[in-house]
Amino acid sequence: MSLKEYFKQLPEEKSKLSKEEKIELNNKDLVVKHNALINATSDYTYCKNELRIICKLISDINNTYEKDFQKKVIRITDLDFSEAENFTNNYTYLVDLCKGLMRKTFFMNGSYYSWFTKLTPMSGVGIVEYEFHNDLKPFLLDLKTNFTKYHLTNILKLRSSYSIQIFELLMQYKTIKQRKMTLEELRKVLNIPNSYSNKDIRRMLEGVQKDLEKNTSIVFTFTFEKLGKQFNSITFNIAKNINNTNIEDNY
């Protein structure tokens, strides 16, 4: 149901929501990132659950009203960590995720950044206390231009970190419907191992294609392009996923 349809079906006495309430409802579960974050590079490889945590915490930011980062908590059971059986009782796994996120810096705009000032896993309850690093305020708070947004549900069932990252790279160009990247750029942003050949990258992208078609609001095709005799770049063509009506895309 679209937001417009939602307001229409409300009883008359409840339909007069304030402007602030309407904004808050429309922004629920939205991941909103400055594009510099999407195009950032790292010497580290993120696992899919690390990226899920980051996206979930970003979606909990009230981008309209929050001017500073606050200490907050998240219940990890809110996410589907399919490879972590009995996750609520797996404190070691939770600690390992927090350690990984704290040490994995990333590079953008000429500087190295960290996602968080701290992550505090709480034993036995599957809860993490967290606070985003203050240096990220220009990239996560009160964004007016040069940002990408999408509903969190798009990435929660994706099967790999490559799927999550490529989804974001393509969502950035959703309106334009096409994105061209050199193979070098793609390797750098995704931190693809040097051992991967172009054939390996093609197979990886084919898997991501199927993953996004099944689980997100967009689909894509891609073409390898040559410069001289060597493959040099990839062109992605992006379209709305008309076959997936379960993913929210009204924003």
Side-chain angles (χ1 to χ4, degrees):
M1 179 184 295
S2 69
L3 190 63
K4 186 176 181 180
E5 291 170 334
Y6 172 82
F7 288 133
K8 281 185 176 180
Q9 59 91 41
L10 288 174
E12 183 63 27
E13 64 272 18
K14 293 184 180 181
S15 63
K16 297 179 181 180
L17 296 179
S18 67
K19 180 180 179 181
E20 291 77 13
E21 288 173 324
K22 291 181 181 180
I23 292 174
E24 184 173 356
L25 179 61
N26 199 35
N27 286 343
K28 184 175 176 59
D29 292 329
L30 278 183
V31 179
V32 185
K33 291 182 176 182
H34 193 283
N35 288 331
L37 284 173
I38 291 176
N39 297 297
T41 62
S42 178
D43 294 330
Y44 300 94
T45 299
Y46 290 87
C47 74
K48 68 177 180 181
N49 285 340
E50 289 170 337
L51 294 179
R52 284 176 178 174
I53 289 178
I54 292 169
C55 293
K56 168 60 179 173
L57 301 188
I58 291 175
S59 76
D60 285 341
I61 294 173
N62 189 322
N63 192 268
T64 305
Y65 302 112
E66 291 186 31
K67 304 302 178 184
D68 291 292
F69 292 129
Q70 309 292 328
K71 290 181 181 178
K72 298 181 181 180
V73 296
I74 178 177
R75 295 184 304 170
I76 306 302
T77 50
D78 289 343
L79 301 178
D80 176 23
F81 288 169
S82 55
E83 71 269 34
E85 295 182 7
N86 301 317
F87 178 75
T88 306
N89 299 319
N90 195 338
Y91 181 67
T92 301
Y93 183 77
L94 179 57
V95 169
D96 288 343
L97 280 175
C98 291
K99 285 181 179 179
L101 286 170
M102 289 302 294
R103 74 169 180 267
K104 291 180 179 178
T105 56
F106 57 94
F107 186 78
M108 65 178 179
N109 296 348
S111 298
Y112 289 93
Y113 291 83
S114 298
W115 283 104
F116 305 98
T117 56
K118 73 168 190 174
L119 290 170
T120 306
M122 300 180 183
S123 178
V125 292
I127 289 177
V128 175
E129 183 182 66
Y130 68 94
E131 185 174 2
F132 280 105
H133 200 290
N134 279 333
D135 287 345
L136 296 183
K137 286 198 293 185
F139 306 100
L140 290 174
L141 297 181
D142 197 28
L143 298 177
K144 304 297 185 184
T145 60
N146 199 23
F147 64 87
T148 296
K149 65 180 178 180
Y150 60 87
H151 282 272
L152 180 68
T153 48
N154 280 282
I155 60 95
L156 291 182
K157 292 184 178 181
L158 293 180
R159 299 176 60 188
S160 72
S161 57
Y162 287 148
S163 290
I164 295 173
Q165 290 175 287
I166 290 173
F167 171 77
E168 291 191 335
L169 289 169
L170 299 186
M171 281 297 290
Q172 183 185 348
Y173 281 70
K174 176 186 174 185
T175 303
I176 301 174
K177 298 182 179 180
Q178 187 177 89
R179 177 164 194 165
K180 185 173 183 177
M181 301 181 72
T182 66
L183 282 165
E184 183 180 357
E185 288 172 337
L186 188 68
R187 284 179 179 275
K188 195 170 183 179
V189 172
L190 300 184
N191 197 26
I192 296 174
N194 292 331
S195 60
Y196 269 43
S197 67
N198 288 343
K199 288 184 179 180
D200 293 327
I201 293 177
R202 182 184 294 274
R203 281 193 292 268
M204 179 268 287
L205 290 175
E206 288 171 350
V208 171
Q209 252 185 328
K210 295 176 182 177
D211 205 6
L212 266 59
E213 182 176 6
K214 180 179 179 181
N215 295 302
T216 76
S217 61
I218 61 171
V219 292
F220 72 94
T221 59
F222 65 93
T223 305
F224 278 73
E225 298 178 355
K226 287 184 176 181
L227 181 63
K229 295 183 179 181
Q230 301 291 325
F231 286 112
N232 174 261
S233 61
I234 302 177
T235 296
F236 296 92
N237 292 295
I238 310 155
K240 183 174 181 178
N241 188 352
I242 60 175
N243 295 320
N244 193 346
T245 58
N246 296 321
I247 299 298
E248 184 66 53
D249 194 25
N250 298 317
Y251 48 86

